[in-house]
Amino acid sequence: MAFTYRFTTNLSLLLLFFFFFFFATSFAALVKEQPLVLKYHNGPLLKGKITVNLIWYGKFSPTQRSIIVDFIESLNSPASPPPPSAASWWRTTSKYKGGASNLVIGSQTLDENYSMGKSLKTMQITALASKPNRVGSINVVLTAKDVAVDGFCMSRCGTHGSTRGKTRVAYAWVGNPETQCPGMCAWPFHQPLYGPQTPPLVAPNGDVGIDGMIINLATVLAGTVTNPYNNGYFQGPATAPLEAVSACTGIFGSGAYPGYAGNVLVDKSTGASYNANGVGGRKFLLPAMWDPETSTCKTLV
C-alpha cells in the first residue's frame, strides 16, 4: 500500500510538471509570435549631419577618451573596416523615418576639476549639457568612475533628453560603471549583479568601465536620434519608454537569453569578445537594435 501511494504521488507530480511545462512552452510560443513594435508618435527625429559635443566630467585618461571618440567616429566612418562593422550597426537608424543620421565629433570640453562636485543631480547634468547650445547637435556628458549621479546604478546606466527654451538641444549622459555598478552597467564584461552568474566576457578594449560605457553610449545615442524630444519612436509610457536599443536589452548576438549575451566573435590573440569592427582596428561589443523593417531586435552576428 505504501508503495502504491508513493508511485501515485510521483506520477501526479510528473503529470503536474508536464502540465506546467506544456503551459509555459505554449505561453512562450504565444509571446514569441507577438512582434515587437515601437510606435512612431509623429515627432521630429534627428537626421542629416549631427554634431556630437563631448563634455568629459572628471578624470579620463587620454586612452579612455580615444576609445570613446573612435567609437563615435566608427559609426559614420568613410573607411570600410571588415564586417561586421559599427557603421553597419548604426545604419539601422536610417530605416527610421527621415533617412540617415550622420554623427561627427564637434567640441570636447574637459572638466577635470569637478566644477560641480562629485555628486550630481539630474539638473546639474542638464546644466553641463546646455553648452554649447547649437541646433542639430547632441551634447554628451560623460562622467568619470568616481562621480555619483542621481539614479546611476539604481535605475539607469545612461539617459538622454533635451534642454528647454527657444532652442531645444538634445543631450545624453553616460557614467563610467567601473567601480560603482559593473555588475549592472558593465555586463557582460563583469559578472551580473543578479541572475545566473556566468563568467564575464573579456572587454575588447581592455577596460571594463569604458567598454561598458560604449554599450550604454550606443544605447542612448540610438535613442536620441530616434526619440529626441519624447515624441519619436518608442513603446510604453513616455516617462519610461522602450526605445531603439533599450527595447532589446541584453541581446548582443544570436541565441541570446537572460544571462547569456549570445553568440559573439572572439579575438584569437586577446580572447576578447566583440561583434563590431571600427576605425583604427578598434573592436566593440554593441547591443541589438530594433529594426523597423522587420520589427525584430537586429544583431550584427
Side-chain angles (χ1 to χ4, degrees), residues 214-293:
I214 294 294
I215 294 172
N216 301 319
L217 180 58
T219 301
V220 296
L221 284 177
T224 301
V225 300
T226 59
N227 186 32
Y229 309 118
N230 232 20
N231 54 7
Y233 281 88
F234 65 88
Q235 181 190 69
T239 53
L242 291 177
E243 299 177 321
V245 174
S246 61
C248 304
T249 297
I251 303 173
F252 296 90
S254 61
Y257 55 81
Y260 174 59
N263 298 309
V264 297
L265 304 175
V266 177
D267 188 308
K268 293 181 180 179
S269 61
T270 63
S273 294
Y274 71 101
N275 61 7
N277 291 299
V279 298
R282 291 281 189 202
K283 291 178 170 56
F284 307 104
L285 186 68
L286 302 181
M289 189 188 307
W290 184 75
D291 186 331
E293 291 184 352

Side-chain angles (χ1 to χ4, degrees), residues 123-287:
M123 289 182 63
Q124 292 172 301
I125 292 291
T126 305
L128 286 168
S130 64
K131 298 178 182 180
N133 191 2
R134 303 190 186 106
V135 177
S137 66
I138 304 172
N139 295 335
V140 181
V141 178
L142 302 161
T143 51
K145 63 183 180 181
D146 56 349
V147 178
V149 176
D150 191 28
F152 188 25
C153 300
M154 292 182 288
S155 59
R156 57 184 181 170
C157 304
T159 190
H160 73 89
S162 61
T163 59
R164 299 182 181 275
K166 293 181 180 180
T167 303
R168 297 186 71 182
V169 176
Y171 71 86
W173 158 76
V174 174
N176 186 333
E178 179 185 340
T179 59
Q180 297 189 56
C181 52
M184 177 180 171
C185 296
W187 185 85
F189 304 126
H190 190 280
Q191 284 189 285
L193 189 61
Y194 306 107
Q197 295 300 298
T198 53
L201 304 181
V202 178
N205 294 286
D207 189 318
V208 169
I210 295 298
D211 280 299
M213 287 185 79
I214 294 294
I215 294 172
N216 301 319
L217 180 58
T219 301
V220 296
L221 284 177
T224 301
V225 300
T226 59
N227 186 32
Y229 309 118
N230 232 20
N231 54 7
Y233 281 88
F234 65 88
Q235 181 190 69
T239 53
L242 291 177
E243 299 177 321
V245 174
S246 61
C248 304
T249 297
I251 303 173
F252 296 90
S254 61
Y257 55 81
Y260 174 59
N263 298 309
V264 297
L265 304 175
V266 177
D267 188 308
K268 293 181 180 179
S269 61
T270 63
S273 294
Y274 71 101
N275 61 7
N277 291 299
V279 298
R282 291 281 189 202
K283 291 178 170 56
F284 307 104
L285 186 68
L286 302 181

Side-chain angles (χ1 to χ4, degrees), residues 47 74-96 99-103 222 225-226 277 286 289-293 298 300:
K47 297 294 179 176
S74 295
L75 298 180
N76 293 117
S77 172
S80 298
S85 69
S88 65
W89 176 84
W90 184 251
R91 276 196 293 272
T92 299
T93 62
S94 67
K95 298 180 181 181
Y96 292 68
S101 304
N102 301 313
L103 306 184
V225 300
T226 59
N277 291 299
L286 302 181
M289 189 188 307
W290 184 75
D291 186 331
E293 291 184 352
K298 181 180 179 181
L300 286 171

